[in-house]
Amino acid sequence: PETMGKSAMFGTLEETLRLSVDIPGVLPCIDWAHLHARAGDGSFNSYAEFAAALELVKKYLGADGLKHMHFHMSGIAYNAKGEREHLPLNEADLCYRELLQAFIDFGVEGTVGVEAPMPFHVADALTLQATYRRLRGAGEGEKAEE
């Protein structure tokens, strides 16, 4: 199950996590842009809000849930009802640096899918990778800690 980007749809973070608790072998796909768009007002876009979401993951799935995450990242256009469309990171207001810092601080591990529209998905993936490495403190030419 994936978190969804429209307020009228099933797929809040808690609903998605609850499915993962109730159905053995099911883990959530957390789409951070969807959660931001779902709010409809520009919220769910700060370190504190991202940290609170990761605390919720930990509450529902335990510390191990943070080590096996699958999530989507991209920019997103939204209105009061939620998601309109995915955007390249540089055209959107998603505070991805704060989100990546929360991942580092919470020891998040897993897989990320970049959902930027073509042809921007590669550039956004490289931007996220470079930003993550910078935040982790890896110098130029150094490999970030694994």
Side-chain angles (χ1 to χ4, degrees):
E2 179 179 343
T3 55
M4 301 307 288
K6 295 187 184 214
S7 58
M9 299 175 82
F10 180 88
T12 66
L13 180 58
E14 288 193 73
E15 289 167 341
T16 305
L17 291 169
R18 173 52 59 198
L19 284 175
S20 298
V21 169
D22 292 345
I23 304 170
V26 170
L27 291 174
C29 175
I30 300 173
D31 189 313
W32 297 96
H34 283 172
L35 294 175
H36 175 50
R38 186 179 190 96
D41 62 1
S43 64
F44 198 86
N45 198 27
S46 69
Y47 179 89
E49 290 163 314
F50 300 140
L54 293 171
E55 287 288 353
L56 203 57
V57 170
K58 187 175 179 180
K59 174 185 169 188
Y60 277 87
L61 305 177
D64 200 44
L66 295 172
K67 299 292 183 193
H68 299 287
M69 289 190 68
H70 177 83
F71 48 92
H72 294 164
M73 291 181 68
S74 69
I76 198 155
Y78 56 90
N79 58 27
K81 294 183 179 184
E83 175 185 6
R84 286 192 6 238
E85 63 183 334
H86 286 274
L87 298 171
L89 287 173
N90 68 349
E91 294 180 20
D93 66 348
L94 182 69
C95 294
Y96 66 89
R97 289 171 193 86
E98 288 83 351
L99 178 55
L100 291 173
Q101 187 63 58
F103 290 166
I104 291 165
D105 294 347
F106 279 78
V108 169
E109 297 177 14
T111 305
V112 61
V114 177
E115 290 193 322
M118 298 268 289
F120 304 102
H121 59 291
V122 173
D124 280 5
L126 292 171
T127 296
L128 291 168
Q129 179 188 53
T131 304
Y132 179 80
R133 286 181 172 174
R134 249 189 331 276
L135 292 170
R136 290 283 310 252
E140 188 173 324
E142 293 178 26
K143 186 175 180 185
E145 291 179 29
E146 306 241 339

